[in-house]
Amino acid sequence: MTESDVKNKIEAGLDCHSVTVAGDGYHFEATVVSSAFEGKRPVARQQMVYATVQEEIASGDLHAISLKTLTPAEAGL
C-alpha cells in the first residue's frame, strides 16, 4: 500500500477535514481531523479510523498504523 492508498481509504470511510499519512508501505502514521470525533473518547476515535482500513489490516497489506485523531478545534481549524 502507498500513503495515498491509506489516505484515500480513510477519506472514503470517514468525513474528514484533513488526513495526512506517512509510511513505508507496511507501517504508517496518520493524522486525521474530523468533526465526527466531537464528544468521542480517544479509543472510539481510533476505532472509527481503523474501521476504514480493516480489510487491509486483515489481509496483511497494512501491517500497522499509528493514529493521531483530532477534532477541528483541537487541530486549530
Side-chain angles (χ1 to χ4, degrees):
M1 293 197 76
T2 66
E3 294 168 354
S4 183
D5 292 334
V6 175
K7 182 177 191 266
N8 291 338
K9 290 292 285 186
I10 293 170
E11 289 175 333
L14 188 64
D15 184 24
C16 303
H17 287 270
S18 68
V19 177
T20 56
V21 178
D24 64 8
Y26 292 98
H27 302 90
F28 293 91
E29 294 179 4
T31 300
V32 182
V33 180
S34 175
S35 57
F37 298 148
E38 295 284 348
K40 303 271 195 262
R41 293 180 180 201
V43 170
R45 293 177 182 194
Q46 291 181 356
Q47 289 171 335
M48 292 168 70
V49 179
Y50 281 130
T52 67
V53 292
Q54 185 174 9
E55 272 185 36
E56 290 72 18
I57 291 171
S59 70
D61 291 336
L62 176 59
H63 179 71
I65 186 166
S66 173
L67 299 173
K68 183 174 185 180
T69 55
L70 303 168
T71 65
E74 291 167 343
L77 300 177

